[in-house]
C-alpha cells in the first residue's frame, strides 16, 4: 500500500460517489498535516452550481471520492469550512472530513467497516519494552560486530467481537547515501473481528481504549502513528485476487505524533507488568465504563491545559466523583466526597493515607472543594496561597491512578508498588506532604468559621 507523505500538498481530483469519477471530477488538493489532520481543497465548479455538484444549502455527500497519483481517496463526513470565489471557475473551497481512507479503490458509505485493524501509537514501544536486536561487538574491532534477532512471542487476548494481538513490526533498512544500517524496534496492535465493525466503532470502542491505556502508563495522550484496516466482506469483482493489498490507510487526528524522550522508569505500568490476555480485555471494558472520568484524566494531562491550580483541582474532584460513581453504579443518593475518598482508598491499598500519615485529608479535601469551588467571601484565600490546591490535586490524581489499575484487574498491592516504583514518585509525595499543612490550615479555618456562624445563629 503506497502511503501519502504527511505534510506534503498533493494534487487531487474530486467527485461525488454517485457519479463517474473520470467524467465529473474537479481539480483540487489533498493534505495530511504532521499530526494527521486532513484538509482538501476544490478549485473548480461544475455547470456553475458549485464544486462537485453541491449547491445551496452547500452540503457535501456523506463520502467524497478523490484520486491523487493513482492513489484512491475517500473522505468521510466532509464539511465546508471556507470558500472563496463563489461559483466561478477560480473558486477555492476548503473541506475538512472526520477522517480519510487511502488505498487501492473508492469505498462507498455502506463499505465503511473493517474485519482487521492495525494500529501503532507514538509511545507504545517504550511501554512494550521489546528489544528485538542484540548487537554483539568488541571495542575497536569492527570485524567482531554482529546483530542477532531476538525472538518475540506473539501475544493475544479475546475481546468483544474478536481478538486483540500485540505483534512485532520491527524492520531493518539500509541507507545507501549515508552508508549505514538502521534497526528499528516497533510493535503493533492488531484486531481481528468475527464480522465487520463500523469504522466509527473501531475508533470509539477499540482504538481509544488502547490510547487511554498508554495515557495511564506514560501520563500523556499518545498519537496514532499509523492505522490501517481491511475487510473480508468487500467484493471488488474479477481480478481482485491480483491486487497487491486490500488494506486502507486511515487518516484522522488522534493526538500529537511527536514522541517526547522518556525513560522506562517514568511509566506507571508497562507490558511486563500486565497479563495481556487477562488485563487488556478488562482495560477495554473499564475505559468504556469510566469514559467520563477518563475525559477529565486526559484533561489533567493535556500539554496545553489552562486555568492554573484552581481549575486543576476542580477537574480532579470531578474525576474522582465520576470514577467512584461508575465503579459503584448501584449506590442510591448523593454520597459525600469524603466517603467516596475513603472507599476508593480502602479499595486501592491506602497509599495516600500512608504518604500523609493520617486519614483527615479526606475530610479536608472535601472542605476545600466546598470552600474553593463553590466560593464565598473568603475563597480568595486559595488564589493568594495555592499550596492547598497543589496538595489536594496531587493526592486525588495519585488515588485515581492506583484505583484505575485495580479496576483493570491488578491487585491493590501490585498497583501501589507500580505507583511507588515510578522514578518521579518522590516528587508526587513531596508535593503532597510539603503542602499538606496549608491544606489542613484552610480546612481548619473553614471549620472555625462554620462554628462561629452556628453560634451566632443560636444566640439570636
Amino acid at each position: 500500500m503506497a502511503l501519502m507523505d504527511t505534510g506534503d500538498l498533493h494534487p487531487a481530483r474530486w467527485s461525488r460517489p454517485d457519479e463517474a469519477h473520470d467524467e465529473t471530477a474537479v481539480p483540487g488538493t489533498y493534505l495530511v498535516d504532521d499530526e494527521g489532520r486532513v484538509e482538501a481543497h476544490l478549485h473548480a465548479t461544475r455547470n456553475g452550481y458549485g464544486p462537485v455538484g453541491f449547491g445551496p444549502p452547500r452540503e457535501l455527500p456523506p463520502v467524497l471520492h478523490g484520486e491523487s497519483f493513482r492513489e484512491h481517496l475517500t473522505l468521510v463526513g466532509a464539511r465546508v469550512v471556507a470558500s472563496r470565489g463563489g461559483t466561478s471557475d477560480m473558486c477555492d473551497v476548503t473541506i475538512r472530513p472526520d477522517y480519510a481512507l487511502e488505498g487501492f479503490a473508492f469505498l462507498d458509505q455502506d463499505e465503511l467497516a473493517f474485519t482487521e485493524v492495525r494500529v501503532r501509537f507514538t509511545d507504545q514501544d517504550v511501554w512494550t519494552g521489546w528489544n528485538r536486536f542484540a548487537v554483539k561487538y568488541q571495542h575497536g574491532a569492527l570485524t567482531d560486530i554482529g546483530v542477532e534477532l531476538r525472538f518475540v512471542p506473539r501475544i493475544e487476548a479475546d475481546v468483544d467481537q474478536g481478538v486483540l494481538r500485540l505483534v512485532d513490526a520491527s524492520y531493518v533498512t539500509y541507507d545507501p547515501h549515508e552508508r549505514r544500517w538502521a534497526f528499528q524496534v516497533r510493535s503493533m496492535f492488531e484486531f481481528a473481528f468475527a464480522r465487520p465493525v463500523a469504522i466509527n466503532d473501531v475508533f470509539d470502542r477499540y482504538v481509544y481504549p488502547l490510547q487511554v491505556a498508554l495515557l495511564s502508563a506514560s501520563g500523556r495522550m499518545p498519537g496514532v502513528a499509523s492505522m490501517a484496516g481491511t475487510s473480508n466482506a468487500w467484493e471488488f469483482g474479477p481480478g481482485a485476487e491480483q491486487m497487491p493489498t486490500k488494506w486502507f490507510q486511515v487518516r484522522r487526528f488522534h493526538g500529537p505524533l511527536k514522541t517526547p524522550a522518556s525513560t522506562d522508569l517514568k511509566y506507571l505500568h508497562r507490558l511486563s507488568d500486565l497479563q495481556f490476555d487477562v488485563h487488556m480485555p478488562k482495560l477495554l471494558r473499564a475505559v468504556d465504563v469510566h469514559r467520563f472520568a477518563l475525559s477529565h484524566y486526559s484533561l489533567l494531562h493535556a500539554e496545553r491545559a489552562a486555568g492554573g491550580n484552581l481549575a486543576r483541582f476542580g477537574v480532579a474532584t470531578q474525576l474522582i466523583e465520576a470514577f467512584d460513581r461508575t465503579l459503584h453504579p448501584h449506590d442510591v443518593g448523593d454520597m459525600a466526597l469524603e466517603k467516596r475518598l475513603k472507599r476508593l482508598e480502602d479499595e486501592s491499598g491506602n497509599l495516600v493515607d500512608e504518604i500523609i500519615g493520617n486519614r483527615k485529608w479526606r475530610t479536608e479535601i472535601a472542605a476545600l472543594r466546598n470552600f474553593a469551588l463553590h466560593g464565598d467571601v473568603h475563597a480568595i484565600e486559595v488564589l493568594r496561597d495555592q499550596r492547598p490546591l497543589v496538595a489536594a490535586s496531587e493526592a486525588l490524581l495519585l488515588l485515581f491512578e492506583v484505583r484505575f489499575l485495580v479496576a483493570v484487574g491488578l491487585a491493590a498491592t501490585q498497583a501501589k508498588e507500580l505507583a511507588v516504583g515510578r522514578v518521579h514518585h518522590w516528587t508526587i509525595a513531596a508535593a503532597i506532604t510539603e503542602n499538606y499543612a496549608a491544606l489542613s490550615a484552610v480546612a481548619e479555618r473553614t471549620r472555625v468559621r462554620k462554628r462561629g456562624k452556628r453560634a451566632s445563629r443560636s444566640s439570636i
Side-chain angles (χ1 to χ4, degrees):
M1 176 175 56
L3 300 181
M4 309 284 283
D5 294 331
T6 58
D8 291 345
L9 189 65
H10 302 275
R13 297 189 305 150
W14 301 101
S15 64
R16 298 173 60 97
D18 56 351
E19 299 176 340
H21 180 76
D22 292 337
E23 298 176 3
T24 63
V26 297
T29 61
Y30 175 75
L31 170 69
V32 180
D33 71 15
D34 292 334
E35 292 194 337
R37 296 181 181 87
V38 179
E39 182 175 289
H41 285 252
L42 305 177
H43 292 158
T45 62
R46 258 187 53 236
N47 302 325
Y49 291 107
V52 290
F54 76 91
R58 295 174 61 82
E59 292 182 353
L60 288 169
V63 298
L64 191 64
H65 292 161
E67 186 176 10
S68 179
F69 298 113
R70 296 188 178 180
E71 187 82 3
H72 290 70
L73 310 170
T74 301
L75 305 186
V76 182
R79 57 201 175 277
V80 176
V81 297
S83 178
R84 293 184 299 173
T87 58
S88 70
D89 291 337
M90 298 296 292
C91 73
D92 181 9
V93 178
T94 304
I95 293 173
R96 292 203 180 102
D98 293 332
Y99 61 93
L101 300 169
E102 302 170 2
F104 60 92
F106 298 131
L107 291 179
D108 294 328
Q109 189 175 9
D110 59 355
E111 296 174 318
L112 300 178
F114 291 146
T115 55
E116 293 182 66
V117 176
R118 297 170 181 168
V119 59
R120 188 173 64 83
F121 298 91
T122 53
D123 280 7
Q124 79 175 66
D125 292 324
V126 176
W127 177 82
T128 303
W130 286 344
N131 186 4
R132 289 285 279 145
F133 304 107
V135 180
K136 299 180 179 180
Y137 67 95
Q138 182 177 344
H139 183 69
L142 293 180
T143 55
D144 292 332
I145 292 179
V147 178
E148 181 181 278
L149 187 65
R150 290 195 177 107
F151 172 74
V152 171
R154 186 183 182 91
I155 55 178
E156 64 180 41
D158 292 329
V159 297
D160 183 34
Q161 299 193 58
V163 176
L164 167 64
R165 303 184 183 95
L166 183 64
V167 300
D168 177 58
S170 303
Y171 65 90
V172 179
T173 58
Y174 177 71
D175 187 337
H177 300 289
E178 296 291 336
R179 296 180 180 272
R180 65 181 181 185
W181 289 91
F183 299 84
Q184 180 65 51
V185 178
R186 283 185 177 177
S187 59
M188 184 174 293
F189 290 104
E190 287 186 351
F191 288 101
F193 302 115
R195 59 181 182 273
V197 176
I199 296 178
N200 284 332
D201 287 340
V202 172
F203 294 149
D204 188 61
R205 297 177 55 192
Y206 299 97
V207 175
Y208 175 71
L210 292 180
Q211 209 170 10
V212 169
L214 295 174
L215 166 66
S216 70
S218 67
R220 58 176 173 261
M221 182 67 83
V224 175
S226 66
M227 181 178 173
T230 188
S231 175
N232 56 25
W234 290 333
E235 296 290 343
F236 294 102
E241 67 281 356
Q242 298 179 6
M243 293 179 179
T245 177
K246 291 185 180 181
W247 287 82
F248 284 80
Q249 182 79 3
V250 181
R251 302 292 195 181
R252 183 186 181 188
F253 175 70
H254 288 279
L257 297 181
K258 183 179 180 181
T259 302
S262 176
T263 67
D264 299 352
L265 297 177
K266 289 185 178 180
Y267 277 53
L268 175 60
H269 59 82
R270 297 178 66 206
L271 174 62
S272 57
D273 299 315
L274 305 178
Q275 189 175 341
F276 194 86
D277 61 336
V278 173
H279 295 133
M280 294 306 291
K282 291 183 177 180
L283 189 144
L284 265 65
R285 289 194 293 270
V287 170
D288 188 51
V289 171
H290 307 297
R291 190 171 294 256
F292 184 76
L294 287 164
S295 68
H296 289 72
Y297 183 68
S298 302
L299 183 60
L300 287 171
H301 287 289
E303 292 183 4
R304 300 177 182 176
N309 289 321
L310 181 59
R312 181 176 175 82
F313 173 63
V315 174
T317 57
Q318 293 171 355
L319 161 67
I320 283 293
E321 289 196 292
F323 187 46
D324 183 74
R325 284 190 174 97
T326 48
L327 280 170
H328 305 281
H330 301 297
D331 282 353
V332 179
D334 191 15
M335 183 182 292
L337 177 58
E338 53 265 37
K339 292 184 178 180
R340 295 188 188 279
L341 295 176
K342 178 184 184 303
R343 177 160 63 184
L344 292 172
E345 266 288 279
D346 292 343
E347 292 170 345
S348 56
N350 303 96
L351 177 57
V352 180
D353 289 349
E354 295 174 6
I355 292 173
I356 295 177
N358 65 62
R359 300 182 179 183
K360 295 189 301 179
W361 66 270
R362 307 165 183 171
T363 303
E364 291 166 341
I365 287 182
L368 179 65
R369 190 275 306 271
N370 296 335
F371 167 65
L373 299 186
H374 295 171
D376 63 20
V377 295
H378 303 283
I380 193 66
E381 290 182 20
V382 295
L383 297 181
R384 291 170 176 163
D385 181 1
Q386 300 190 17
R387 291 177 297 167
L389 300 173
V390 173
S393 298
E394 293 297 335
L396 294 176
L397 185 57
L398 179 61
L399 172 58
F400 170 79
E401 289 178 330
V402 177
R403 184 60 183 86
F404 183 71
L405 290 179
V406 175
V408 301
L410 275 70
T413 53
Q414 185 183 3
K416 286 173 57 178
E417 289 174 359
L418 292 176
V420 174
R422 284 183 292 188
V423 70
H424 64 282
H425 175 72
W426 71 272
T427 64
I428 298 173
I432 296 172
T433 56
E434 292 175 3
N435 296 291
Y436 175 68
L439 170 61
S440 291
V442 166
E444 179 59 29
R445 288 196 296 272
T446 303
R447 285 192 291 268
V448 170
R449 285 195 289 267
K450 286 183 177 179
R451 286 197 297 267
K453 291 180 180 178
R454 285 195 294 268
S456 64
R457 285 196 296 267
S458 62
S459 64
I460 297 175

